[in-house]
Amino acid sequence: MTGSLMTPLLIENVPILSILIFLPAIAALLVPFLSGNNTVRWFTFTVLFIDFLIATWLLVIFDNSTAQMQFMESKAWVPSLGITYKLGIDGISVLFLFLTSLLGWICVLASWNAIAKRLKEFMICLLVIQSLMLGVFCALDLLLFYVFWEAMLVPMYLIIGIWGGEDRIYAAFKFFLYTLAGSLIFLVGILVLYFAGGRTFDILALMDASYDADLQRWVFISFLIAFAVKVPMVPVHTWLPDAHVQAPTAGSIILAGVLLKMGAYGFIRFSLPMLPDASHYFAPLMQGLSAVAIVYGGFLALAQQDIKKLIAYSSISHMGFITLGLFTFTINGTTGAVIQMFNHGISTGALFLFIGLVYERTHSRDIPAYGGLLKAVPFYGIFFALFLLSSMAVPGTNGFIGEILVLSGTFGVNNWAATAGVLGALLGAAYLLGIYRQILLGPIKIPGAAKMWDLNKRELCCALPLLIFVFWLGFYPKPFLSILQPTLKHLLEQTLGVSL
Amino acid sequence: MMAKLVNFFGDKKYTRTRWRLLIVILVSIVIADFLVARPHDYNFWDTIPGWGALLGFIGCGMIILVSKFIGKKVGLSKKENYYD
Amino acid sequence: MTEWFTFSMMPALLLIVGGLLLPLFKGVSQKVYSLLIPLLVIFSLTQMEMGRFGEIDFAGISLMMFNVDKLSLFFGWVFAIAALIGNIYSLHINHTGQRVAAFLYMGSAFLVLFAGDWFTLLVGWEIMAFASAYLIFATRKGPAVKAGFRYLMVHVTGGVLLFAGIVLHGLGTGSYLFGPIDAAQQGGVAYTLILIAFMINAAVPPLNAWLTDAYPEATVTGAVFLSAFTTKTAVYVLIRAYPGADILIGFGVFMALYGVVFAMLENDCRRLLSYHIVSQVGYMIAGIGIGTEMALNGSSSHAFAHIIYKGLLFMGAGAVIHMTGKRKLTELGGLYRTMPWTVALYMIGAFAIAGFPFFSGFVSKSMVIAAAAGDHHATATLLLMLASSGTFLSTGLKLPYYMFFGKDSGLRPKEPPFNMLVAMGIAAFFCIGIGVFPGLLYNMLPYAVEFEPYTGAHITESLGILMFTLLAFVLLLKYLNPKNTISIDTDWFYRRGATVFMWLANKPVAQWEQKIITLGDGLILNTLHRLSKHSLTVDTQVVDGAVNGVAKTAMKSGNLLRRLQTGIVSHYALAMAIGLFLVIAVYVLIMSEVL
């Protein structure tokens, strides 16, 4: 399996990545021909679960010793323009393929009863967006990446716009237009890089090329705008709270679990390795914006009464940690950032899942209206509490590992930002414990809450895998760290080594 | 059995007995203080007999006074529902 | 193989795993099980070997999880005894959750005790905070829930500070092994942060309010556990990490008097005892600050004695609350008639805390005071002796007088359940036993002991202080009537201060956010609105000009979306985007077909 370092790794010439990516899309084409809502649900679930198994298998057979891209596929697409259909994964992408496919089938389970009207269209959207997200993580051609990146907007827009809450159109459009604006500027940057890098869109080739410092800065800014909207960074973050509040549960899980990570992934895949000098130049700015996001998001979360909005702002705060870690250019900071990306997907995905579960029962997102859930539905309460602890980065949970790595990377590079990080952690404890107190403890206030049913088997199947990762990463992060290590080391070399 | 012992300290009818017992104990302590050997004398008071007694009596009074003062004047004693 | 066995026999694991398995047992078997585990822990302590073990590589950092030496073993013994006593005391409880929480709490305390590296310590520290918070929440009443929340916030904050300090310390020294923090780093950020975190858990004023706020609200049985573990774990880590840190002397003496003065103001019997925890820990902290071998021995032995007699006092007060439902001194009195055993056992604890000869407090407290005198800290010595008087005054005189004797409240409660009396009896046994045979305790101390508690001078001095305090008490009795008040402590700052903080979050920050939202909405959406109107014509033509099948699909989805829009923003922008995407895809598809 480990050939010489220059040989891309294939499994007997089977294009496993293409299968992984396009399986859900092909399945989406078949959905209109199915009859019966349950058939549709089971079909979608099975397809996504198979996809998940493929992603898991990839994770297992992944070679930890090299930073080279693995399972590569390459096919000329439009050679005259330098566009290739090129796929490949490294330590970071394989982890996110795993996360995305895990959240995929969990979303199907979570939407089982929640989505009733236009079920087929919904499942089609889920399948399509799954394909596109997986494609983003595998793409090694910049234009291919862009196609996947842009195309994601449509199904997400539909998910929010059709199956969302009362104000869904506004939220969906806002999401769409903010992201689109960023992406169009991204396209400009891509084209500039294309011309400067020798008329090729090949990501690996573009990484190897070196560019004039001024050019780097302009391209960095164009990339920054796109990624900053996706992450989201302050001040272009305002689409996120509305999108989360209006989106259906599955939408929120995908949004928080995967879509936000794309922004950070963009920094990792493009800004840092391809534009190292600009990255260094803008590092203080990025660290500053991250610190602002951490504290600003934390304060706003504290002020929220709507629980989905609260978690949305806490996401902004958490993503601040991630961007901070990335721009410290230390191995700890970068590792911590990637681990936090994975963690945030798990923990915040789980939180939105649980909020959705209780919303299904009570149709209220208003925190003061709740109370005493620990008494009414104890299993739910305990699970929810554990995920809150994970989000709080309590030792023993996955969040702790990520935060400790990010902070140990930041202290020494930018102590003010690190202090902001500590303040952010405190704010996090405050609003998360606040949720715990108001929703889980105290007297039961929601009418009909006494008749609420506790977690059923389906919901348990959604929650357990996520909980397993909370504690697995918390107590034994080694396997995850060893997958990332060579890739991140290589990334740092690219970022630091090439400097004028 | 224990009840009898405790009752001794509680019931009113034993008050005079208790006072007598107390005075006997107090006096014997002061006398004993004069008689004991004093190997370590790090501080000036270690050599004064009856020092412990004095400290206890005056100290206790001081503590009561200070706590009352803090409670009333500095305003730290508030009604029960201050925080609600 | 042997290392695995040693590993699994670690008290921390026994208690934590044992606690998690507890819900599997029900009824009587659960209660029996809850006694077996502490006995197993005591057994494992007898088998323990000294040394560091449990080396693991955690994310590139080399850690040594466990460290067993005389100091940690010494504390381990008293924790194990407390665990057993606490569980006997709570045998009558049928609430599984409380038991599990108590086990997790005790287990994590052991984890901190035997921690060889900072991360293990931090994990134990955090679990302790959450598990103990549960014991406060468990009463389910409003004030308890609120107090528990404040408790949790304080401890989580402490945990975050500890975390930051550990990271800085590790970065600075390159080692994460748990040991003394270099005095050369005094004034360093890591030094201060970790010290503050430890001081929070030790309830050093001004960081003490959480204890006196939360402990009185805990369950009757929970409070017994609480009084034993959190503060003494903090004392242990301070002994190990900051021996001889001079500021601790000042803090310790201040604490000792602070606790006593506030205790005099108290009406709630358990809050009074809580202030005493603050006071007694002050002795321990002062000893740590002095730093000589005798002082550290003194702090350790005082901790040992304190856990047991404080537990006894909380058990006694808890028994009264359990049987009468009342906790305020203004509402109690005259109980001696019907609960003589409780009174007697409580008084043994009171004599112990005061430091009467032949009780445990005497052999430990006098060691600390002698250490202070021996190291030439005259003022400290004097003030600590003064605090002794105050201790006896509030715990040994005021509280029992107004609770058991004094004005008759009319209540006639019976003796508490047998298990509670047995637990108190065991504690009382130790209180007297250690007092009469101090050598047994002294042999376990980390450093060699050259202290002789039973000298004539010590005895007459102590008796003098105590008995004359009694005299003053009796003479000044009429000034001491308890009143129905609460006293304001440093938690005023964050109880009132929290509202300021929330105002900050709600008003200025939220208003700023609203501005950004309006800006974004205005700028971006309006621009795109205008753009989209212009590009409409171009766009529809391009879409129409594309390959048939693709165009039809585009129109269909366009129709679908047209049904949705409410006119806030033109849907043409959307069609434009779809169009763009489809154009690229189609073009590329066509081109690739050519190849």
Side-chain angles (χ1 to χ4, degrees), chain A residues 77-79 81 118 147 151 154 157-158 161-162 169-170 173-174 176-178 180 184 235 237-238 296 299-300 302-303 313 375 389 392 394-395 400-401 403-404 407-408 411 422 425-427 429-430 433-434 436-437 441 475 477-478 481, chain C residues 57-59 119 122-123 126 130 137 140 145 149 152-153 156-157 160 163-164 167-168 171 501-502 504-506 509-510 512-513 516-517 520-521 524-525 528 560-561 563-564 566 568-571 573-574 577 580-581 587-588 591-592 595:
Chain A
W77 198 0
V78 188
L81 291 176
R118 294 217 179 123
V147 168
V154 176
Y157 167 81
L158 291 175
I162 303 181
I169 309 293
Y170 166 72
F173 265 112
K174 202 164 167 182
F176 187 83
L177 288 170
Y178 265 76
L180 182 68
L184 290 177
H237 62 283
T238 56
Y296 187 72
F299 265 109
L300 281 170
L302 207 53
Y313 279 112
K375 254 183 293 190
L389 290 182
M392 242 192 286
V394 164
F400 176 68
I401 307 293
E403 262 189 35
I404 205 177
L407 281 178
S408 59
F411 271 117
V422 174
L426 280 175
L427 288 170
L433 284 178
Y436 178 75
R437 180 172 71 96
L441 298 177
F475 284 109
K478 199 150 176 217
L481 294 173
Chain C
D57 183 346
F58 181 79
F119 284 114
L122 187 63
V123 171
E126 294 278 359
F130 284 95
F137 287 130
R140 301 273 170 91
V145 171
F149 183 65
L152 200 50
M153 269 313 294
V156 166
T157 308
V160 171
F163 169 50
V167 169
L168 282 175
L171 288 177
F501 205 67
M502 288 304 292
L504 198 69
N506 276 315
V509 181
W512 183 252
E513 170 77 355
I516 298 185
I517 291 178
D521 279 1
I524 296 184
L525 298 186
L528 285 170
L560 176 71
L561 295 159
R563 269 183 258 149
L564 301 172
T566 57
I568 295 177
V569 179
S570 164
H571 81 289
L574 176 63
L580 184 64
F581 162 54
Y587 174 73
V588 162
M591 294 304 291
S592 68
L595 299 156

Side-chain angles (χ1 to χ4, degrees), chain C residues 76-100:
Chain C
W77 272 109
V78 67
F79 276 21
I81 296 173
L84 184 62
I85 294 179
N87 273 304
I88 297 178
Y89 187 74
S90 42
L91 269 184
H92 61 281
I93 298 284
N94 286 317
H95 189 212
T96 315
Q98 282 186 44
R99 231 177 231 123
V100 173

